[in-house]
Amino acid sequence: MSEATQDDETPSAGTSRGQYSLKSGDTFVVCDAYGDIRGDASGLFHNDTRMLSHFTLDLGGKPPSLLSAAISHDNVLFTANLSNKPLPPMGERATPQGVIHLQRMRFLWDARLYERIACVNYGDSEVQVTLALRFGADFRDIFEVRGTSRKKRGTLHEPKVGETSVALRYDGLDGVTRCSVICLSTLPDRLDGDSAELRLVLPRLSNTELYVEIGPDHAQPSRERFRAAAAKARRAMRRRRGHGARPRSNARLFNAWLERSRADIALLVSEFPTGPYPCAGIPWFATPFGRDGIITAMQLLWLDASLARGVLGYLAEHQAHETSAFRDSAPGKIMHETRKSEMAELGEVPFGRYYGGVDTTPLYVMLAGAYAERTGDEVFIDKLWPALTAAMGWIERTCDKDPHGFLTYAQGEKGGLLNQGWKDSEDSVFHADGTIPPAPIALVEVQGYVYAALIAMARLAERRGDDDASAQWRHRALAMRKAVEELFWDEEMGNYGIARDGNDTLCRVRASNAGHLLYVGLPKLWRARKVIRQFRSAPFDSGWGVRTLAMQQARYNPMSYHDGSVWPHDVAICAAGMAHYGERDDAVRLLGETFEAAVHFGMRLPELFCGFPRATGEPPIAYPVACLPQAWAAGSVFMMLQACLGVTVDGRRGEVRIDRPSLPAGVDRLTLHKLDVGGDSIDLGFERIGSRTVAFRAGGSADVRILAKV
């Protein structure tokens, strides 16, 4: 992914009004703490088009004062509590400040925004006040909102004003008519194409309610419709949150982080015919991304395999079958990104269905292999087999073009991504002197993914009885491992270079990319330990997690997108890699650092934050335009927790393996409730006893074997 925007539950530095978001299906809304939409990155969006770009509320011609704003724990309801500023007289006397309580409650359901505006007068006499709503829709494409200019747009029609509604309409160049209809439950005193006014008479302690709905067609808002739709939205969210095992500890704050992370993933999940799929993040990436969906599914796989199944099915359905330089597609490639917007439909941007991610295809095969081990679901793997062999076909054909057998990339047509690994900003790959290398580029972590994909396919083929194919894939995996060890390791750095360029020159840069090699288990033990020692050191470890780039490297900038910032999902992968090589204490330390960062971010980790060194008494410094919530940031706690507990679930054998578990600091007891193991369910308990952590069966099926190593 590339640049995003700030989205938080409380006002943050540089954003005095805060940013809040809700999502339901293909619809999401971003507003400030007052509930207002004021352009910029805020708005009501549907299918990557901004359906409402302005929506504000005034009392007596003045914006109200903010008392509080919050999103419910289940991520369904946004609530702003407001109060009046001193109001000019409309009767015998002026209304003093702070006597009218105004509450805005909002949610999304079935491509509609529902809002209840409730006013209560706590003054000592009747109050008369004018409530005004101001609104507008620019119907801009998400890429326009992000800053892309267009030579031509469609037709924006004059608003159509009814008694209690205003219809806003835009005819796109793609032949699609897009409508936003603002509907009120009460006949306003004045209504025109961009505002509505209601003159309210509020007796003391009276409660006056106005219901508003904004959707693609006309409706008649009411209390009954509001309550019925809210109940449906909450039931749907409960279903999404109810999947998978649930970790629960004796530590209240740690539990709050776990629950917020589960709720954020549930918020971002969309349901498709192929199953659940986690959209990447709000606001810029509220759509399926291949890489993000795969990594989020990997993070949750040990707890909830249904997400991985949904991701695998969706991406198989959207696999490339033709070659296109514009879309960077080739037969067998797995999708990087899909969009439904006007510009994508017209081909003004290549992201309608875009394949410019070099790592997505091997990651897809990795996930399929991990899913098969976790569940033993051979029937589903058989269904996926044509997609998996096609994916491996693309990987092998591309690797065969490189003299060393590496998987490389180069930008397709202009407008596509220059860099196509997870660090996809234009300056994220460079030489030790800071110069940008020529393409094609072979990223070090991508070769690790290819190695893991080859091992996964070898195991899958062996279980299918195809020993010849299994042997061939194992041979290629060993060759890849040997080539990476010979051509990416730099003895002087004591680390792996970030990439090899089109001149076959190593980019001698110390970056977190090597942590992904640890995750797949490619490095030799002694080299892995050298990398881990560097990750422990101050140039890498900010005190809030591992930086994407070590200090003192060329282009290091703790405020950059990829060159010195901290990404929670990247930290989680590094922690899991350290644990893979037996360094469980490092995983515990990184989980502790990330947890302390989460506390400062209101238990909701952003996509990334700045990589400045931790200072006593100071919080981590926010990256100003990070996605929040963001799927793989929310999933990072679960990957790190698995790394700490050393849990592996083998659904085929019906067993759980636990390797030298360790609980996070401050957590003395933890239980995994309803962990599915090959169709049986168990509860696993972990408890700190002295300096050791012991694991035990806390309930559930006795048929599941638990193999624990202390």
Side-chain angles (χ1 to χ4, degrees):
M1 298 186 313
S2 51
E3 289 183 71
T5 191
Q6 178 73 19
D7 184 336
D8 202 349
E9 286 196 5
T10 54
S12 58
T15 315
S16 61
R17 295 178 70 92
Q19 294 258 326
Y20 295 73
S21 60
L22 300 171
K23 177 183 173 294
S24 176
D26 293 323
T27 306
F28 70 92
V29 62
V30 179
C31 65
D32 65 21
Y34 295 74
D36 287 344
I37 293 169
R38 296 176 174 271
D40 297 325
S42 65
L44 173 66
F45 294 81
H46 179 72
N47 284 341
D48 292 322
T49 297
R50 185 157 65 182
M51 309 300 288
L52 197 67
S53 52
H54 191 81
F55 187 52
T56 62
L57 181 150
D58 291 343
L59 274 179
K62 299 180 180 181
S65 298
L66 177 66
L67 300 177
S68 71
I71 289 176
S72 59
H73 290 299
D74 60 5
N75 277 333
V76 172
L77 294 174
F78 164 79
T79 304
N81 288 290
L82 310 164
S83 183
N84 68 295
K85 293 178 180 176
L87 301 176
M90 290 187 65
E92 295 182 356
R93 60 176 181 167
T95 302
Q97 180 172 341
V99 299
I100 300 173
H101 174 228
L102 188 148
Q103 185 184 75
R104 302 179 75 175
M105 183 174 286
R106 172 184 299 165
F107 65 92
L108 299 174
W109 178 247
D110 197 19
R112 303 185 76 84
L113 183 150
Y114 292 79
E115 180 157 331
R116 184 190 71 190
I117 301 170
C119 297
V120 179
N121 171 22
Y122 289 100
D124 56 10
S125 61
E126 180 181 277
V127 170
Q128 297 181 43
V129 64
T130 297
L131 185 151
L133 293 173
R134 310 188 193 284
F135 43 79
D138 58 12
F139 296 100
R140 290 193 176 273
D141 190 287
I142 189 79
F143 292 98
E144 288 184 278
V145 178
R146 290 173 62 181
T148 302
S149 60
R150 299 181 69 186
K151 295 179 179 179
K152 187 178 180 182
R153 300 192 80 248
T155 302
L156 186 63
H157 293 270
E158 288 294 318
K160 184 177 179 180
V161 181
E163 286 191 345
T164 59
S165 66
V166 177
L168 309 175
R169 184 163 64 93
Y170 169 75
D171 294 334
L173 297 177
D174 56 354
V176 176
T177 297
R178 296 168 173 87
C179 294
S180 282
V181 186
I182 298 97
C183 303
L184 310 177
S185 63
T186 302
L187 183 68
D189 293 281
R190 186 185 64 80
L191 182 63
D192 56 32
D194 61 6
S195 64
E197 287 187 1
L198 295 90
R199 296 184 181 91
L200 305 179
V201 178
L202 305 176
R204 172 172 164 74
L205 300 182
S206 69
N207 181 37
T208 298
E209 294 181 338
L210 169 68
Y211 292 89
V212 182
E213 291 186 28
I214 303 170
D217 49 25
H218 188 273
Q220 185 55 58
S222 66
R223 176 186 294 183
E224 291 72 27
R225 281 179 57 87
F226 183 89
R227 289 181 172 180
K232 291 176 183 177
R234 299 203 103 147
R235 283 196 297 269
M237 184 62 79
R238 278 198 299 272
R239 285 195 298 270
R240 291 199 295 274
R241 293 183 69 186
H243 288 295
R246 181 180 179 185
R248 188 79 180 171
S249 79
N250 68 308
R252 182 181 60 83
L253 277 178
F254 190 72
N255 288 340
W257 184 27
L258 291 171
E259 289 303 310
R260 168 55 73 190
S261 299
R262 284 170 62 92
D264 281 352
I265 290 169
L267 173 72
L268 291 166
V269 164
S270 292
E271 294 289 342
F272 297 104
T274 47
Y277 198 105
C279 295
I282 297 174
W284 303 129
F285 307 117
T287 188
F289 273 72
R291 179 192 303 123
D292 297 65
I294 291 168
I295 289 178
T296 304
M298 284 182 174
Q299 293 170 331
L300 272 292
L301 179 59
W302 68 298
L303 298 173
D304 178 15
S306 67
L307 199 61
R309 183 185 174 103
V311 168
L312 290 166
Y314 181 91
L315 292 176
E317 196 171 86
H318 292 77
Q319 190 171 30
H321 298 286
E322 60 183 23
T323 299
S324 167
F326 180 65
R327 299 191 183 279
D328 234 325
S329 67
K333 283 188 84 173
I334 297 298
M335 182 197 79
H336 170 72
E337 175 181 358
T338 183
R339 297 283 185 175
K340 298 178 181 178
S341 67
E342 181 184 5
M343 291 176 68
E345 190 66 28
L346 292 169
E348 295 179 30
V349 292
F351 304 109
R353 192 175 292 183
Y354 180 62
Y355 295 85
V358 70
D359 51 357
T360 310
T361 307
L363 283 169
Y364 178 81
V365 179
M366 279 176 60
L367 178 61
Y371 173 84
E373 296 285 345
R374 169 66 178 85
T375 64
D377 187 355
E378 306 293 350
V379 173
F380 184 63
I381 294 298
D382 286 345
K383 182 180 175 181
L384 288 182
W385 196 247
L388 291 171
T389 54
M392 284 308 304
W394 175 79
I395 292 170
E396 291 173 327
R397 288 192 302 274
T398 308
C399 288
D400 288 343
K401 296 175 185 177
D402 183 81
H404 305 299
F406 293 142
L407 185 61
T408 64
Y409 69 87
Q411 185 181 32
E413 291 190 3
K414 188 177 180 181
L417 294 173
L418 178 65
N419 282 316
Q420 297 187 1
W422 85 261
K423 297 178 180 178
D424 58 7
S425 51
E426 293 190 354
D427 63 348
S428 62
V429 181
F430 53 91
H431 282 292
D433 62 359
T435 57
I436 301 298
I441 302 295
L443 290 169
V444 64
E445 76 275 16
V446 172
Q447 315 319 311
Y449 302 155
V450 173
Y451 165 77
L454 289 163
I455 293 293
M457 287 298 282
R459 290 173 177 166
L460 293 173
E462 185 177 34
R463 287 201 287 273
R464 292 169 59 86
D466 192 342
D467 293 338
D468 289 342
S470 177
Q472 290 173 14
W473 278 318
R474 286 187 187 278
H475 177 75
R476 287 195 75 129
L478 292 175
M480 174 63 79
R481 185 177 196 174
K482 183 174 183 291
V484 170
E485 291 284 52
E486 288 179 356
L487 297 170
F488 279 91
W489 179 257
D490 185 276
E491 192 61 44
E492 185 179 340
M493 285 199 308
N495 210 322
Y496 294 88
I498 194 173
R500 293 191 74 88
D501 70 8
N503 295 326
D504 201 20
T505 302
L506 182 66
C507 298
R508 300 177 62 257
V509 174
R510 293 192 299 143
S512 65
N513 303 55
H516 297 232
L517 279 191
L518 302 179
Y519 177 67
V520 301
L522 185 147
K524 297 173 183 176
L525 179 59
W526 67 272
R527 286 181 174 175
R529 286 178 172 165
K530 279 193 172 185
V531 173
I532 291 168
R533 281 198 296 273
Q534 291 190 24
F535 282 166
R536 290 184 193 128
S537 67
F540 265 114
D541 192 343
S542 70
W544 303 111
V546 176
R547 296 183 180 92
T548 51
L549 185 69
M551 298 169 71
Q552 285 89 49
Q553 300 296 285
R555 295 189 176 274
Y556 170 75
N557 177 357
M559 299 176 289
S560 69
Y561 200 52
H562 289 125
D563 294 334
S565 53
V566 176
W567 288 65
H569 89 279
D570 187 44
V571 177
I573 290 173
C574 290
M578 292 169 162
H580 180 88
Y581 285 89
E583 304 297 338
R584 193 83 60 209
D585 289 346
D586 285 303
V588 171
R589 174 179 54 81
L590 288 176
L591 177 58
E593 291 181 4
T594 310
F595 168 62
E596 289 162 0
V599 170
H600 287 287
F601 287 114
M603 297 304 175
R604 174 181 268 179
L605 283 172
E607 176 188 21
L608 73 155
F609 49 89
C610 293
F612 291 105
R614 184 169 179 168
T616 302
E618 296 184 10
I621 297 173
Y623 185 80
V625 289
C627 275
L628 191 68
Q630 209 264 1
W632 63 14
S636 62
V637 59
F638 303 109
M639 179 176 272
M640 285 189 281
L641 184 60
Q642 182 184 19
C644 293
L645 299 179
V647 172
T648 303
V649 182
D650 189 331
R652 289 192 307 112
R653 293 187 172 92
E655 65 186 31
V656 179
R657 295 186 288 274
I658 305 170
D659 182 14
R660 292 167 295 132
S662 184
L663 285 168
V667 175
D668 296 319
R669 295 183 305 280
L670 185 141
T671 303
L672 298 178
H673 296 279
K674 297 183 178 179
L675 181 68
D676 181 86
V677 183
D680 290 320
S681 177
I682 64 167
D683 294 344
L684 275 181
F686 299 84
E687 186 167 354
R688 192 191 309 276
I689 298 178
S691 60
R692 297 167 57 240
T693 296
V694 297
F696 54 92
R697 188 191 311 269
S701 173
D703 294 332
V704 176
R705 294 186 300 276
I706 300 175
L707 307 176
K709 179 165 58 174
V710 178

